[in-house]
Amino acid sequence: MKKDWWKEAVVYEIYPRSFMDSNGDGIGDLQGIISKLDYLKELGVDALWITPVYKSPQDDNGYDIADYMSIDPMFGGLSDMEELIAKAKERGICVLMDLVLNHSSDEHIWFQEAKKSRDNRYHDYYVWVDGEEGHPPNELCSCFGGSAWEWVPELKQYYLHQFSVKQPDLNWENKNMRYEIYRMINWWIDKGVGGFRLDVIDLIGKEPLKGITGNGPHLHEYIREMNARTFGGKNLLTVGETWGATPETAKIFSNSDGDEFSMVFQFEHSLLDQQEGKEKWDLKPLDFVKLKKILSKWQTELSDNGWNSLFWNNHDLPRIVSRWGNDDTYREESAKMLATLLYFMKGTPFIYQGEELAMTNVKYPIEEYRDIELLNLYRERLEKGYPKEEIMQSIYTKGRDNARTPMQWNASPNGGFTTGTPWIKVNPNYTEINAEEQLQRSGSVLNYYKALIHLRKQLKSICRGDYELLLPEHKQLFAYVRCSEGEKVIVICNFTASEIDDDWYCKVFREEKEGEYELLLSNYEKGNVELKPYEARVYRKRTAD
Ligand code: GLC
Ligand code: CA
């Protein structure tokens, strides 16, 4: 494969339990994914990131792994995984596994052993602190609520869990543990995977007694060791999930020497609606000018060293069309606009399942939700006396289950996802929003995504060109230029439901003439200069080098 092939790739994220159920038990599975490979091939993607399908008690939907080298029976077996890798490869698609290395499940054999005694050989694979019941070592909180310390009376020790109690943190200071992890990664590489997504990887260098969770002092040492002993130099796609990344740290994580990862997921643009210093549920209004500033900062700061990933959605974030778009009157227009905006930027795009159909958030009664984070929040805030309506509002806006409702394949019961009872209710709008309908309609969001992916692969400037934001203070318009040898591309996006009159035009094109540009793509029929609600246009000019 071409060196750095991943710079030109488009990745599709699959949340297996919600993608396609092949056997009617209501849970999506590996054979379900295999049955949809042609759909993915037609979409034009190069790689699939499969969120964890390893053996797991599913306390956090698989992000609590009990055995890194086997598949949970609910998803299939190892032979199904091998079949998926092989059949995807036949279609020119590779599979990325999700590595959860900051913690394991408490049902992993290592932890089962570790808690037997202080001198068990696995004890030190986890993070323990001596103490007294009722007096945790410090105030550190779990990301899912409550203390990050759990008391084990038989050992008279606390263990660290930055996520649920069933997700004890692994101790990266222990070399034996690290080497077992590397052996496991190599075992997957030998199975022919195309790379990895590394879950909350910026937490592995933690020093919890000093209150350090992200970006610990030995973090890069561990990452480089892992790289050297596993995926380094093998031309694989690796993407580190780093909630706390800044452009400065991202340049280290994704440096061009290739001794860490290919790229990172950074979340600054998805955190801008969170009140300063508060939890993700404490919302403040969306600030469009700030969004422009953040996305542009990442484009320019990583222009020479480092590499961006581009994403609006994943299994932890609300549906973008419901967040920054308009999931009512202009659902299709705004979804296409949002895709246009992102897909002409520099970086590797990730599509999250259903995004290509402009699937929306849901508003369910609390009994219909399944996510541990969301249910803990509900309980905690009720106890603290928050009004129920306010809690539900946070859940409707940011709850992770918004992204986890099943794929909407067609208009048959349960959207064609399962013939049984789905593990979580299907969004009732499946009769209107589904893949089958969109496949056959030329103006659909799905077909627009296909066109975007196709175009991306043809235009040199998208992968390599420079980026410049235009009209940074404009309250409705997100416009930027991409320039490379022989080509200049201008992207124009109206981020609002109101029209924009024609004065943007001279400002954007400056002294240049319209005739020099061709309109490459738009989400409306060609009209006047004025921009319609959520209108997006991409212009191209061929320039002399
Ligand atoms: C990541 C995953 C999320 C999971 C958490 C703990 O943020 O994306 O789904 O709950 O890590 O593993
Ligand atoms: Ca199933």
Side-chain angles (χ1 to χ4, degrees), residues 269-270 273 286 291 295 311-314 317-327 330-331 334-343 350-361 397 402-403 445 449 495 534:
H269 60 288
S270 70
D273 57 0
L286 294 169
L291 177 73
L295 289 176
F311 67 98
W312 283 127
N313 278 112
N314 69 28
L317 300 172
R319 294 282 178 184
I320 197 62
V321 72
S322 301
R323 196 81 194 101
W324 278 102
N326 174 312
D327 61 11
Y330 298 111
R331 187 180 59 82
S334 64
K336 291 175 188 171
M337 182 279 289
L338 288 162
T340 312
L341 182 88
L342 206 62
Y343 281 62
F350 285 72
I351 304 173
Y352 177 64
Q353 64 185 45
E355 182 181 341
E356 77 279 20
L357 308 175
M359 277 175 59
T360 65
N361 281 357
T397 317
N402 281 310
V445 179
Y449 264 83
F495 246 74
Y534 298 102

Side-chain angles (χ1 to χ4, degrees), residues 55-60 62-68 100-116 122-129 140 142-144 147-152 155 157-172 177 181 199-200 203-204 206 208 372:
K55 191 158 182 283
S56 160
Q58 304 288 326
D59 188 51
D60 183 21
Y63 281 94
D64 47 321
I65 298 174
D67 182 353
Y68 292 90
V100 187
L101 308 180
N102 175 66
H103 44 267
S104 73
S105 162
D106 64 341
E107 297 182 29
H108 194 290
I109 182 76
W110 297 342
F111 192 75
Q112 294 295 312
E113 286 294 313
K115 67 175 191 196
K116 282 187 184 158
Y122 293 103
H123 187 69
D124 191 48
Y125 276 30
Y126 295 87
V127 182
W128 300 94
V129 180
L140 213 62
S142 147
C143 297
F144 294 161
S147 169
W149 299 103
E150 180 72 5
W151 178 246
V152 178
L155 297 177
Q157 283 186 312
Y158 284 92
Y159 70 83
L160 175 72
H161 61 92
Q162 295 193 66
F163 295 90
S164 93
V165 264
K166 288 184 67 60
Q167 292 167 296
D169 270 61
L170 287 162
N171 175 19
W172 275 74
M177 189 287 292
I181 292 277
D199 189 63
V200 291
L203 301 183
I204 62 172
K206 63 219 153 200
I372 178 171

Side-chain angles (χ1 to χ4, degrees), residues 274-286:
Q274 187 175 318
Q275 286 183 39
E276 216 69 51
K278 294 239 178 130
E279 288 183 49
K280 80 180 215 187
W281 311 102
D282 299 304
L283 303 172
K284 68 177 185 199
L286 294 169

Side-chain angles (χ1 to χ4, degrees), residues 20-29 74-75 418:
M20 181 65 201
D21 175 22
S22 71
N23 61 354
D25 66 356
I27 303 169
D29 44 52
M74 83 169 44
F75 297 119
T418 181

